[in-house]
Amino acid sequence: MIDLLGRSGNLSEAKQLLDQMDVEPDATVWKSLLGACRMHKELEMGEMAAKELFELEPKNSMPYVMLSNLYSAAGRWEDAAKIRKLMKCRGISKEPGSSWTQANGKTHTFVSEDRSHPMMARIYSKIDEVIALIKEAGYVPDMSFVLHDMEREGKELGLAYHSEKLALAFGLLVVPSGAVIRIYKNLRVCGDCHTAFKYISSLYDRHIVLRDSNCFHHFVDGKCSCGDYW
């Protein structure tokens, strides 16, 4: 119920239900609330949920990362930096994000701003083409998913070269038209990449399947099977 209320944006009702529970809320309950706060950008309640998780699962990086992302989205860069410093002090490390796809019997893996792939010049050229095309269709880079304070141009480039976008650009180059492009990511897909994938599925008429750490996302005709909640 807390998850359902959170998904629908009724966060105050979710918190009220949580407070009325006969048993002490466990980590799963607080994660559901924190996930809803992340999606609806509810910072104050997100802080509370994250701090509960710091106590319940002190070595889990997820609440630290989510709270840092909430601070970044709100433009509170100093607070975001403090959370990253706290992680370092406590010896907690975030798993580096990577995405991979298969083509011609081989697995091709990418990390953010990767330059190691033998086709990287063509991949980056494809990314630039894709970003220009989806911008014409209405896509606006979501700066709230940039985790460090920097100039706007730097933020846009950082978003454009996320690992899942690089994997998708590679897929557009090598996967035959009409075939499904399948991508896997070890972490949750970021919101900006999720929006971009919807535009790309429509403009390039491709069925894209992205399996992130939380669920399968099927992008078809500009829509995602997750209903924009994951």
Coordinates of all heavy atoms in Angstrom, one line a residue, residues 182-214:
R182 N 18.4 -4.8 -27.5 CA 18.4 -5.2 -26.1 C 19.6 -4.7 -25.3 O 20.7 -4.9 -25.7 CB 18.3 -6.7 -25.9 CG 17.1 -7.3 -26.6 CD 17.0 -8.8 -26.5 NE 15.9 -9.3 -27.3 CZ 14.6 -9.4 -26.9 NH1 14.3 -8.9 -25.7 NH2 13.7 -9.9 -27.7
I183 N 19.4 -4.0 -24.2 CA 20.4 -3.4 -23.5 C 20.2 -3.7 -22.0 O 19.1 -3.8 -21.5 CB 20.4 -1.8 -23.6 CG1 20.7 -1.4 -25.1 CG2 21.5 -1.2 -22.7 CD1 20.4 0.0 -25.4
Y184 N 21.3 -3.9 -21.3 CA 21.3 -4.3 -19.9 C 22.1 -3.2 -19.1 O 23.2 -2.8 -19.6 CB 21.9 -5.7 -19.6 CG 21.2 -6.7 -20.4 CD1 21.6 -7.0 -21.8 CD2 20.2 -7.5 -19.9 CE1 21.0 -8.0 -22.5 CE2 19.6 -8.5 -20.7 CZ 20.0 -8.7 -22.0 OH 19.3 -9.7 -22.7
K185 N 21.6 -2.9 -17.9 CA 22.4 -1.9 -17.1 C 22.4 -2.5 -15.7 O 21.4 -3.0 -15.1 CB 21.8 -0.5 -17.1 CG 22.5 0.5 -16.3 CD 22.2 1.9 -16.5 CE 23.1 2.8 -15.6 NZ 22.9 4.2 -15.8
N186 N 23.6 -2.3 -15.0 CA 23.7 -2.8 -13.6 C 23.1 -2.0 -12.6 O 22.9 -2.4 -11.4 CB 25.2 -3.0 -13.3 CG 26.0 -1.7 -13.3 OD1 25.6 -0.8 -14.0 ND2 27.0 -1.7 -12.5
L187 N 22.7 -0.7 -12.9 CA 22.0 0.2 -12.0 C 20.7 0.6 -12.5 O 20.3 0.2 -13.7 CB 22.9 1.4 -11.7 CG 24.3 1.2 -11.2 CD1 25.1 2.5 -11.1 CD2 24.4 0.5 -9.9
R188 N 19.9 1.4 -11.8 CA 18.7 2.0 -12.3 C 19.0 2.9 -13.5 O 20.0 3.7 -13.4 CB 17.9 2.8 -11.3 CG 17.2 2.0 -10.2 CD 16.6 2.9 -9.2 NE 16.0 2.2 -8.1 CZ 14.7 2.1 -7.9 NH1 13.9 2.6 -8.8 NH2 14.2 1.4 -6.9
V189 N 18.2 2.9 -14.5 CA 18.4 3.8 -15.6 C 18.0 5.2 -15.1 O 17.1 5.4 -14.3 CB 17.4 3.5 -16.8 CG1 16.0 3.5 -16.4 CG2 17.7 4.4 -18.0
C190 N 18.8 6.2 -15.5 CA 18.5 7.6 -15.1 C 17.3 8.1 -15.8 O 17.0 7.7 -16.9 CB 19.8 8.5 -15.3 SG 19.8 9.4 -16.8
G191 N 16.7 9.1 -15.2 CA 15.4 9.7 -15.8 C 15.6 10.3 -17.1 O 14.8 10.3 -18.0
D192 N 16.8 11.0 -17.3 CA 17.0 11.6 -18.6 C 17.2 10.6 -19.7 O 16.7 10.8 -20.8 CB 18.3 12.5 -18.5 CG 18.6 13.2 -19.8 OD1 17.9 14.2 -20.1 OD2 19.5 12.7 -20.5
C193 N 17.9 9.5 -19.4 CA 18.1 8.5 -20.4 C 16.7 7.8 -20.7 O 16.4 7.5 -21.9 CB 19.1 7.4 -20.0 SG 20.8 8.0 -19.9
H194 N 15.9 7.6 -19.7 CA 14.6 7.1 -19.9 C 13.8 7.9 -20.8 O 13.1 7.4 -21.8 CB 13.9 6.9 -18.5 CG 12.7 6.1 -18.5 ND1 11.4 6.6 -18.8 CD2 12.5 4.8 -18.3 CE1 10.5 5.7 -18.7 NE2 11.1 4.5 -18.5
T195 N 13.8 9.2 -20.6 CA 13.0 10.1 -21.5 C 13.6 10.1 -22.9 O 12.9 10.0 -23.9 CB 13.1 11.6 -21.0 OG1 12.5 11.6 -19.7 CG2 12.4 12.5 -21.9
A196 N 14.9 10.1 -23.1 CA 15.6 10.1 -24.4 C 15.2 8.8 -25.1 O 14.9 8.8 -26.3 CB 17.1 10.2 -24.2
F197 N 15.2 7.6 -24.4 CA 14.9 6.4 -25.1 C 13.5 6.4 -25.6 O 13.2 5.8 -26.7 CB 15.0 5.2 -24.0 CG 16.4 4.7 -23.9 CD1 17.5 5.5 -24.0 CD2 16.6 3.3 -23.7 CE1 18.8 5.0 -23.9 CE2 17.9 2.8 -23.6 CZ 19.0 3.7 -23.7
K198 N 12.5 7.0 -24.9 CA 11.2 7.1 -25.5 C 11.1 7.9 -26.8 O 10.5 7.4 -27.7 CB 10.2 7.8 -24.4 CG 10.0 6.9 -23.2 CD 8.8 7.4 -22.4 CE 9.1 8.8 -21.7 NZ 8.0 9.2 -20.9
Y199 N 11.8 9.0 -26.8 CA 11.9 9.8 -28.1 C 12.5 8.9 -29.2 O 12.1 8.9 -30.3 CB 12.7 11.1 -27.9 CG 11.9 12.2 -27.3 CD1 11.9 12.5 -26.0 CD2 11.1 13.0 -28.1 CE1 11.2 13.6 -25.4 CE2 10.3 14.1 -27.6 CZ 10.4 14.3 -26.3 OH 9.7 15.4 -25.7
I200 N 13.6 8.3 -28.9 CA 14.4 7.5 -29.9 C 13.5 6.3 -30.4 O 13.5 6.1 -31.6 CB 15.7 7.0 -29.3 CG1 16.6 8.2 -28.9 CG2 16.4 6.0 -30.2 CD1 17.8 7.8 -28.0
S201 N 12.8 5.7 -29.5 CA 12.0 4.5 -30.0 C 10.9 5.0 -31.0 O 10.6 4.3 -32.0 CB 11.3 3.9 -28.8 OG 10.2 4.7 -28.3
S202 N 10.5 6.2 -30.8 CA 9.5 6.8 -31.8 C 10.1 7.3 -33.1 O 9.7 6.9 -34.2 CB 8.7 7.9 -31.1 OG 7.8 8.5 -32.0
L203 N 11.1 8.1 -32.9 CA 11.7 8.7 -34.1 C 12.5 7.7 -35.0 O 12.5 7.9 -36.2 CB 12.6 9.9 -33.7 CG 11.9 11.0 -33.0 CD1 12.9 12.0 -32.5 CD2 11.0 11.7 -34.0
Y204 N 13.0 6.7 -34.4 CA 13.8 5.7 -35.2 C 13.0 4.4 -35.4 O 13.5 3.5 -36.1 CB 15.1 5.3 -34.5 CG 16.2 6.4 -34.6 CD1 16.2 7.5 -33.8 CD2 17.1 6.3 -35.6 CE1 17.1 8.5 -33.9 CE2 18.1 7.3 -35.7 CZ 18.1 8.4 -34.8 OH 19.1 9.4 -35.0
D205 N 11.7 4.4 -34.9 CA 10.8 3.3 -35.1 C 11.5 2.0 -34.7 O 11.5 1.0 -35.4 CB 10.4 3.2 -36.6 CG 9.2 2.2 -36.8 OD1 8.5 2.0 -35.8 OD2 9.0 1.7 -37.9
R206 N 12.0 2.0 -33.4 CA 12.7 0.8 -32.9 C 12.1 0.4 -31.6 O 11.6 1.2 -30.8 CB 14.2 1.1 -32.7 CG 15.0 1.6 -33.9 CD 15.0 0.5 -35.0 NE 15.6 -0.7 -34.6 CZ 16.9 -1.0 -35.0 NH1 17.6 -0.2 -35.7 NH2 17.4 -2.2 -34.7
H207 N 12.0 -0.9 -31.4 CA 11.6 -1.5 -30.1 C 12.9 -1.7 -29.3 O 13.8 -2.4 -29.7 CB 10.9 -2.8 -30.4 CG 10.5 -3.5 -29.1 ND1 9.9 -4.8 -29.1 CD2 10.5 -3.1 -27.8 CE1 9.6 -5.1 -27.8 NE2 10.0 -4.1 -27.0
I208 N 13.0 -1.0 -28.2 CA 14.2 -1.1 -27.3 C 13.8 -1.7 -26.0 O 12.8 -1.3 -25.4 CB 14.7 0.4 -27.1 CG1 15.0 1.1 -28.4 CG2 16.0 0.3 -26.2 CD1 15.1 2.6 -28.3
V209 N 14.5 -2.7 -25.6 CA 14.3 -3.3 -24.3 C 15.5 -3.0 -23.4 O 16.7 -3.4 -23.8 CB 14.1 -4.8 -24.4 CG1 14.0 -5.5 -23.0 CG2 12.9 -5.2 -25.3
L210 N 15.3 -2.4 -22.3 CA 16.3 -2.1 -21.4 C 16.0 -2.8 -20.0 O 15.0 -2.5 -19.4 CB 16.4 -0.5 -21.1 CG 17.4 -0.1 -20.0 CD1 18.8 -0.5 -20.3 CD2 17.2 1.4 -19.8
R211 N 16.9 -3.6 -19.6 CA 16.8 -4.3 -18.3 C 17.8 -3.6 -17.4 O 19.0 -3.8 -17.5 CB 17.2 -5.8 -18.5 CG 17.2 -6.5 -17.1 CD 15.7 -6.6 -16.5 NE 15.6 -7.5 -15.4 CZ 15.6 -7.2 -14.1 NH1 15.8 -5.9 -13.8 NH2 15.5 -8.1 -13.2
D212 N 17.2 -2.8 -16.4 CA 18.1 -2.2 -15.4 C 18.0 -3.0 -14.2 O 17.4 -4.1 -14.1 CB 17.7 -0.7 -15.2 CG 16.4 -0.5 -14.5 OD1 15.7 -1.5 -14.2 OD2 16.0 0.7 -14.4
S213 N 18.5 -2.5 -13.1 CA 18.6 -3.2 -11.8 C 17.2 -3.4 -11.2 O 17.1 -4.2 -10.2 CB 19.5 -2.5 -10.8 OG 19.0 -1.3 -10.5
N214 N 16.2 -2.7 -11.7 CA 14.9 -2.8 -11.0 C 13.8 -3.5 -11.9 O 13.0 -4.2 -11.3 CB 14.4 -1.3 -10.7 CG 13.4 -1.3 -9.7 OD1 13.5 -1.9 -8.6 ND2 12.3 -0.6 -9.9

